[in-house]
Amino acid sequence: MREFRYEKAADPAGAVALLSGEPEGAYLGGGTNLVDLMRLGVATPDVLVDVRRLTSDQVEELPDGGLRIGAAVPNADLAADLRVRQRFPLLAQALLAGASGQLRNRATTGGNLLQRTRCTYFTDTTMPCNKREPGSGCGAVDGFHRNLAVLGATDEGPTSAHTCIATHPSDMAVALRALDASVRVLGADGERVVPMAELHRLPGDDPSRDTTLARGELITAIDVPALPWATRSRYRKVRDRASYAFALVSVAAALDLDGSTVRDVRIALGGVAHAPWRATVAEDALRGGPATEEAFTAAAEAELAAARPLPDNAFKVPMATNMITRTLVQLAEARA
């Protein structure tokens, strides 16, 4: 592990000022991802700015009936919050589907959104990886890619400086994407609000960048707007092990019905793209239509038509289709 300097700021603005002047620095929250990457030699910050106790660790009510989640709220506390469990069950379920109990006790809400891919080629410094070392190529394309992206990935060939088929690992981020949450960040130019739809990036021509955050910007809170019909919601995750494994495919969904007609619907996918994937094609196909298994399947197939799988992860396409269908069927059957 590279030697580093440890700093503690008095407040969030002080932390931003510290890190903004350190091109190789990083924020330290729970450390559940960053410290692992430092041990592997993937992350090599020369300065760590501790922000664990600088942002709120509380869940607060918003005027519209939504919730503001402090960036320092532990994942375990957020999953156990009665308001989250009652109003946004898909979010509580997503949190409980991630990591182990010990890690959920330590991991923070802000840090969860910023965790980096677990692609084998990213975490192994002996392998080529455009995300870790731009221009080195993507070893996964012709290597082990069973758990990697089928949507939104660059596909210019393994030697391209832009190729990346990594997936985003967060379960919580998928649920927040379905809920149209927004992220409050503090930077050198003050505070701004970033919609979840704009926080994470697809690889494009720079797979080394996971988010749209500017250098030194600090997540201070996440706002989840009121969505009364999110009480009928669910997070479903398929993985290789029953616990402590990242998603092969996951689905966050909420369904609003008017009799047997879909009035509104939210669907987001995990494990299939470089960022949490909002299934807007499927949503548009379902609104105003019948709440039937056939309609759910047709909408899911329309969403997955854009998939570009590789030989060893082609199974994700029918898996995601089936998961969307079964999740919506169960939500429709569970209506009050």
Side-chain angles (χ1 to χ4, degrees), residues 246-271:
F246 296 100
L248 292 171
V249 177
S250 64
V251 174
L255 185 64
D256 184 25
L257 297 179
D258 180 7
S260 59
T261 299
V262 177
R263 182 160 42 205
D264 206 350
V265 63
R266 303 281 184 85
I267 307 168
L269 301 174

Side-chain angles (χ1 to χ4, degrees), residues 242-330:
S243 65
Y244 198 43
F246 296 100
L248 292 171
V249 177
S250 64
V251 174
L255 185 64
D256 184 25
L257 297 179
D258 180 7
S260 59
T261 299
V262 177
R263 182 160 42 205
D264 206 350
V265 63
R266 303 281 184 85
I267 307 168
L269 301 174
V272 298
H274 194 262
W277 186 269
R278 183 69 175 267
T280 55
V281 173
E283 291 178 358
D284 291 343
L286 288 169
R287 290 189 183 99
T292 64
E293 182 171 347
E294 293 75 18
F296 297 153
T297 299
E301 289 175 343
E303 184 68 46
L304 272 297
R308 298 292 181 267
L310 292 166
D312 294 339
N313 67 4
F315 71 93
K316 288 193 175 191
V317 176
M319 178 179 283
T321 301
N322 292 338
M323 287 179 66
I324 292 171
T325 300
R326 295 312 307 163
T327 303
L328 293 176
V329 165
Q330 290 182 352

Side-chain angles (χ1 to χ4, degrees), residues 158-177:
T159 60
S160 167
H162 307 321
T163 298
C164 182
I165 57 172
T167 53
H168 193 270
S170 172
D171 295 289
M172 183 189 76
V174 179
L176 291 174
R177 182 70 182 86

Side-chain angles (χ1 to χ4, degrees), residues 91-108:
L91 177 55
Q93 292 164 10
L95 287 157
L96 292 174
S100 64
Q102 294 93 330
L103 285 175
R104 290 196 297 270
N105 286 337
R106 182 67 184 174
T108 62

Side-chain angles (χ1 to χ4, degrees), residues 173-197:
V174 179
L176 291 174
R177 182 70 182 86
L179 292 168
D180 280 337
S182 57
V183 181
R184 307 183 72 86
V185 299
L186 180 66
D189 296 326
E191 188 178 54
R192 68 186 181 111
V193 178
V194 183
M196 274 294 296

